[in-house]
Amino acid sequence: MRRKDDEKEQRIKEAVIELILKEGIDGASISKIARLANVSPATVYIYFDNKEDMMRAIYREYSEDVYSYLIRRVTTRMDGACLIETLIRSYYTYMTEHREIFSFVEQCSRCPTLSGCRAEKQGVSEIFDLTREMKRNGIIRNYSDENIAAILFYPVKAIAMDQHSSEAERESRLDELIEIISRALLAD
């Protein structure tokens, strides 16, 4: 029986991301992934039962990484304004520092066969737990969890993915966005 090798597994994951971003989900075959990862197709099957299993596992891992990154940067001791700013800036930083991984997660999130993985995400639950606690404590307004997440994160994505503005312009827009979101969410 062949053993798993962490380095090979990482090369396979990197190959999946690269191919998905270049050729889309349908263009990423096991043989192409294996060739790019410099392993045999049989080696890919040591780590994953099939392409769908591989896509789900890698999508789940990297999408959870986004939320883990955010949760590690906040504490319940933060006041509402600091917490909102930290979540927004951390999300922005993650997207700009992990652009390929974030683009991969975004592309996979639009795939009907992978979209069901979203319901399984623990990280989303932790973000919702955090916003529910903030609502219970009267820190933020009692809006739906989904709307709070949309207000906090979707506008940040537009700024981070803007390739036509300078970093200084994006930072200025991010500062303004933090002010807008804080005014919208913080309880009076």
Side-chain angles (χ1 to χ4, degrees), residues 81 84-93 95 148-161 168-186:
I84 287 171
E85 181 173 358
T86 301
L87 284 172
I88 290 170
R89 288 195 188 281
S90 296
Y91 193 55
Y92 178 84
T93 299
M95 283 186 279
I148 291 171
I151 290 167
L152 281 171
F153 302 122
Y154 288 122
V156 178
K157 191 185 316 180
I159 294 171
M161 295 300 157
E169 291 170 321
R170 288 192 303 270
E171 285 290 336
S172 177
R173 287 177 43 216
L174 192 64
D175 291 340
E176 181 179 56
L177 182 64
I178 290 167
E179 182 181 333
I180 292 167
I181 292 173
S182 293
R183 286 185 182 174
L185 290 182
L186 291 174

Side-chain angles (χ1 to χ4, degrees), residues 19 58 72 75 87-88 101 117 147 153 158 167 170:
L19 277 171
I58 296 170
R72 286 192 308 267
T75 68
L87 284 172
I88 290 170
I101 290 172
C117 293
N147 280 338
F153 302 122
E167 182 62 30
R170 288 192 303 270

Side-chain angles (χ1 to χ4, degrees), residues 16 39 41 47 77 96-97 99 103 119 151 153 164 175 186:
V16 168
V39 298
Y47 300 94
R77 294 183 306 276
T96 57
E97 290 180 358
R99 194 168 296 278
S103 296
I151 290 167
F153 302 122
H164 303 292
D175 291 340
L186 291 174

